[in-house]
Amino acid sequence: MVGPGKDPRTTISPCEACSVRELSVCGVLSPSELDRLEAIVGKNNFAPLQMIFSEGDAAASLFNVTGGVVKIYKLLPDGRRQITGFLFPGDFLGLALHDTYSYSAEAITAVSLCRFPRTKLETLMGEMPHLEKQMLRTASNELAAAQDQMLLLGRKSAAERVATFLLMLHRRALRRDDSHGALLDLPISRADMADYLGLTIETVSRTFTKLKNEGLITLPGTHKVDLADMDQLEDLAGIVVDEDLANAAYL
Amino acid sequence: MVGPGKDPRTTISPCEACSVRELSVCGVLSPSELDRLEAIVGKNNFAPLQMIFSEGDAAASLFNVTGGVVKIYKLLPDGRRQITGFLFPGDFLGLALHDTYSYSAEAITAVSLCRFPRTKLETLMGEMPHLEKQMLRTASNELAAAQDQMLLLGRKSAAERVATFLLMLHRRALRRDDSHGALLDLPISRADMADYLGLTIETVSRTFTKLKNEGLITLPGTHKVDLADMDQLEDLAGIVVDEDLANAAYL
DNA sequence: CGCTTTTTTGAGAACATTCAAGGCATGTGG
DNA sequence: CCACATGCCTTGAATGTTCTCAAAAAAGCG
């Protein structure tokens, strides 16, 4: 937003102007704390298909996604792949902090990240209780999401998996305020959906067709879905829409 | 270990004498910190099949398992069940702290737990950086384990799932020093294994028979397994036994 | 010991996969 | 601007792994 020729140094720091701050770990910090975090942060950009890090790499950095979509995944020795998560703007990347990353991260779209050197971030966490508490909260949320995904992978049918997935994407788009009613952007290939849902490309494709034929969704384009019958999708997904819990869960 | 008639009050606190302390979050605390933790802890016992808490209950407490085996699971509306973890002595229970539990916990064997009221524990975490850091580390480990389980549920065959499961149990028995070479206790029913591995009881049973016939295991009893061919089991499980990583991972 | 529960085994069915081909976009070069 | 190549998605047919239904065997328990 800063025009050419304008002095980028203002009293508003980049972090204070960050559009995803309220969604991320940074959201709980005071202005002075934010300054200290900003002092150790670096910006990185990645092109589609570019690796951000690989399983086994020394875990030197943690990241905050500020733009684009990232996938994280694990591989079996013979190449079978399980995507364990998609990360959108505001999501934290690299939480499972051992000395090496236990999974790989790759850019799906053009991606921009805030990069935090791990040692420096750990020092800051020791000094800023807010930050550490927020990291624990984030880890806790991810754990709950991981358990939901285990339920999906272990016990749901193909149609139930796809319905669950679409509703999750929709909920996250709403949270980012990146939503056009029930019309959903799918910046994810059929192959990546398959590897996330524990299915094959063909089964994912057939399931989309099936849901379309049954009137639960329409497909305005390969990467666009309209959630035409939200109630039936929720029934299919096995989501318990407890009035009160609906707003709180995972938001 | 305290004989009958002996005065149980000594200078050694119960926590200091706790056999699982080194395995659990308590292990990192100083004696004075341990005293403060002990001040808020209550002991609870549960019989087999007894519920510890249910999905949706107000999350009033967190727990440390000091004895026995606990299962945690999620249900679909029609009753399908996915067990997301088994907890052994030293394991922490209740980490995903929202206002309500996002899963149910049930005793498999007779279970003893240390119970921490959530509000009091959160106060203590604020005052004891060691404790909070350890909680984050624990959450981080659980997240890594959850991702491994997603890989299992999404991409592994029945035989690969069972092999992975047996090796995980073995590794955890070793860690608790509760191991007799390659002979493994299975305090878990076929039904619970099935619900953990995303299979049916029948498939689990057939897979045990198959692994036995192929010489990878022997079955001295229904709830005892001898891991006869560890190398082949590891190959089957798709576990990368990097010399250096082998000892560090998840321990 | 006789009962119940759990585990094993069998046969057939189902859902998802594999293998294969065709369609439909997108992009490049003629 | 069109022809063509490329990659992704869809659809079809056959196969296979796991599931379902059913019953027998084994184990646990009073």
Side-chain angles (χ1 to χ4, degrees), chain A residues 35-149:
Chain A
D35 284 345
R36 300 186 60 192
L37 192 63
E38 193 162 344
I40 67 161
V41 78
K43 282 288 215 170
N44 284 109
N45 291 295
F46 295 85
L49 303 184
Q50 204 179 345
M51 295 299 300
I52 297 165
F53 56 75
S54 293
E55 189 173 345
D57 285 358
S61 299
L62 307 186
F63 306 87
N64 212 10
V65 179
T66 53
V69 187
V70 174
K71 67 185 171 201
I72 61 179
Y73 60 88
K74 292 179 72 89
L75 294 170
L76 285 171
D78 65 359
R80 277 174 289 171
R81 189 176 67 149
Q82 179 65 37
I83 293 180
T84 57
F86 295 108
L87 305 181
F88 293 90
D91 290 339
F92 200 85
L93 170 61
L95 237 163
L97 14 71
H98 297 85
D99 287 336
T100 58
Y101 296 113
S102 59
Y103 51 84
S104 303
E106 185 181 324
I108 289 184
T109 64
V111 164
S112 53
L113 300 176
C114 285
R115 181 178 160 280
F116 306 99
R118 196 175 127 202
T119 50
K120 289 181 183 168
L121 188 65
E122 281 178 356
T123 305
L124 275 194
M125 280 200 298
E127 296 166 6
M128 293 160 47
H130 278 125
L131 182 59
E132 182 147 46
K133 194 149 251 158
Q134 185 61 20
M135 294 286 285
L136 185 54
R137 221 182 316 259
T138 303
S140 184
N141 285 337
E142 296 222 357
L143 207 47
Q147 288 167 338
D148 282 344
Q149 190 67 0

Side-chain angles (χ1 to χ4, degrees), chain B residues 30-230:
Chain B
S30 68
S32 70
E33 288 176 326
L34 204 58
D35 284 346
R36 300 185 60 192
L37 192 65
E38 193 163 343
I40 67 162
V41 78
K43 282 289 215 168
N44 284 110
N45 290 295
F46 294 85
L49 302 183
Q50 204 178 345
M51 295 299 300
I52 296 165
F53 55 75
S54 292
E55 189 173 345
D57 286 357
S61 299
L62 307 185
F63 305 86
N64 212 9
V65 180
T66 53
V69 187
V70 173
K71 67 184 171 202
I72 62 179
Y73 59 87
K74 294 180 72 89
L75 294 170
L76 285 171
D78 65 359
R80 278 174 289 171
R81 188 176 66 148
Q82 179 65 36
I83 293 179
T84 56
F86 295 108
L87 285 69
F88 293 92
D91 289 340
F92 201 84
L93 169 62
L95 237 164
L97 15 72
H98 298 85
D99 288 336
T100 59
Y101 296 112
S102 60
Y103 50 85
S104 302
E106 186 182 324
I108 289 183
T109 63
V111 164
S112 53
L113 299 176
C114 283
R115 182 177 159 281
F116 306 98
R118 194 176 129 203
T119 51
K120 290 181 182 167
L121 188 67
E122 281 178 356
T123 305
L124 275 194
M125 280 199 297
E127 296 165 7
M128 292 160 46
H130 278 124
L131 182 58
E132 183 147 47
K133 193 149 253 158
Q134 185 61 19
M135 295 285 285
L136 184 54
R137 220 183 316 258
T138 303
S140 183
N141 285 337
E142 296 222 358
L143 207 49
Q147 289 168 337
D148 282 345
Q149 189 67 1
M150 287 188 236
L151 178 62
L152 179 147
L153 293 169
R155 288 299 179 222
K156 290 185 183 178
S157 70
E160 291 166 343
R161 291 180 200 208
V162 171
T164 307
F165 175 66
L166 292 177
L167 289 171
M168 178 208 70
L169 281 187
H170 181 64
R171 193 178 53 219
R172 294 179 67 170
L174 284 178
R175 172 166 145 72
R176 292 196 312 280
D177 217 18
D178 179 18
S179 159
H180 316 281
L183 185 64
L184 192 64
D185 264 316
L186 276 184
I188 296 166
S189 69
R190 298 291 188 266
D192 283 346
M193 287 188 237
D195 281 348
Y196 181 66
L197 298 174
L199 301 169
T200 57
I201 297 172
E202 296 93 327
T203 300
V204 170
S205 181
R206 279 187 251 269
T207 305
F208 269 93
T209 304
K210 179 166 167 267
L211 292 179
K212 185 186 70 181
N213 291 340
E214 290 170 350
L216 303 215
I217 60 173
T218 61
L219 294 168
T222 316
H223 293 278
K224 291 231 186 299
V225 184
D226 186 71
L227 308 182
D229 191 335
M230 199 79 85

